[in-house]
Amino acid sequence: QKEVEQNSGPLSVPEGAIASLNCTYSDRVSQSFFWYRQYSGKSPELIMSIYSNGDKEDGRFTAQLNKASQYVSLLIRDSQPSDSATYLCAVTAFSGYSTLTFGKGTMLLVSP
Amino acid sequence: DTEVTQTPKHLVMGMTNKKSLKCEQHMGHRAMYWYKQKAKKPPELMFVYSYEKLSINESVPSRFSPECPNSSLLNLHLHALQPEDSALYLCASSQDRSTDTQYFGPGTRLTVL
């Protein structure tokens, strides 16, 4: 049974701070890792994808992957109130076809 | 352009009604997905279509019937639903089944009375 674990939160940070969101996964053959942002009542929006160990930066967002530790994280620099949302970690393992396994999501609250 | 569209945005139906949800993408993607999402839960996969053929059915009750008329369109036909089927129904697409990046549509908020 593939599992993706996230702290449900809420994670509260002040405006301008760095928010750190963490995710662990159980399936060692997992190959692709995604972070989606979901505002209340809206659909998931892709923020970042990462496939190899190390860091990947895109604007204020940095995804970090450590396959040996089965750990993926998302850092949000200079957090803004508009970043307040639920962040879903999703993992997939290619085996002829791929399906996403989602974590339960971490709610982030950025206070002005 | 990574746009997936879904209609309607909201749908209220009785347990005896028949309705359909529609999803469309014009990105040339060959894999399309239906998910169901309940409040404060992650999306749950329902169906996967690859090259217009149903490739995954996650043991979804037969009152949900998917259809893929062509490579750009995906429908979900609903009949004799239960109140517990009320949820946000999400469509997603990816380049093909071997490509992981899935892009979600805005969803249809379904309420079953």
Side-chain angles (χ1 to χ4, degrees):
Chain A
Q1 179 77 8
K2 301 176 190 175
E3 290 185 353
V4 177
E5 300 286 341
Q6 294 182 256
N7 188 322
S8 61
L11 172 66
S12 296
V13 300
E15 185 175 356
I18 296 175
S20 178
L21 303 162
N22 303 316
C23 172
T24 59
Y25 58 94
S26 63
D27 190 350
R28 283 197 168 273
V29 300
S30 297
Q31 295 185 325
S32 306
F33 307 86
F34 304 90
W35 284 100
Y36 287 86
R37 177 175 65 195
Q38 187 170 27
Y39 293 111
S40 180
K42 302 295 186 184
S43 66
E45 174 193 7
L46 182 68
I47 297 294
M48 294 283 287
S49 59
I50 187 166
Y51 303 93
S52 53
N53 281 329
D55 295 359
K56 179 180 178 183
E57 187 174 320
D58 183 0
R60 296 186 296 112
F61 299 96
T62 298
Q64 299 175 316
L65 175 61
N66 183 325
K67 289 188 177 181
S69 300
Q70 295 178 241
Y71 174 92
V72 58
S73 66
L74 180 71
L75 299 178
I76 306 174
R77 287 181 300 281
D78 189 24
S79 295
Q80 300 296 308
S82 58
D83 294 325
S84 297
T86 295
Y87 289 79
L88 296 164
C89 174
V91 172
T92 190
F94 179 68
S95 58
Y97 61 86
S98 64
T99 57
L100 289 175
T101 300
F102 284 92
K104 293 183 178 179
T106 297
M107 182 182 291
L108 173 66
L109 297 175
V110 182
S111 54
Chain B
D1 185 12
T2 55
E3 187 176 6
V4 178
T5 59
Q6 289 186 246
T7 56
K9 287 190 171 67
H10 301 276
L11 178 62
V12 179
M13 60 186 290
M15 289 189 284
T16 59
N17 292 158
K18 286 185 182 180
K19 296 287 185 183
S20 296
L21 310 184
K22 296 186 184 302
C23 173
E24 189 167 8
Q25 55 88 14
H26 292 290
M27 296 177 278
H29 288 176
R30 303 313 299 268
M32 296 184 77
Y33 310 77
W34 279 115
Y35 289 85
K36 172 183 176 180
Q37 187 176 25
K38 303 281 273 185
K40 299 192 185 303
K41 299 287 188 184
E44 296 176 34
L45 183 65
M46 300 175 72
F47 302 104
V48 180
Y49 272 83
S50 177
Y51 291 85
E52 299 154 54
K53 294 191 190 315
L54 182 64
S55 57
I56 295 178
N57 176 341
E58 292 285 0
S59 302
V60 179
S62 60
R63 56 186 184 268
F64 295 92
S65 175
E67 178 196 19
C68 189
N70 60 54
S71 60
S72 300
L73 291 173
L74 186 65
N75 298 324
L76 185 63
H77 302 298
L78 314 173
H79 174 54
L81 294 193
Q82 304 296 310
E84 59 264 30
D85 296 321
S86 298
L88 180 66
Y89 287 83
L90 296 162
C91 174
S93 71
S94 65
Q95 189 172 345
D96 56 44
R97 263 173 46 177
S98 65
T99 303
D100 306 319
T101 306
Q102 292 184 25
Y103 298 94
F104 285 84
T108 293
R109 174 71 60 190
L110 173 67
T111 302
V112 182
L113 300 177

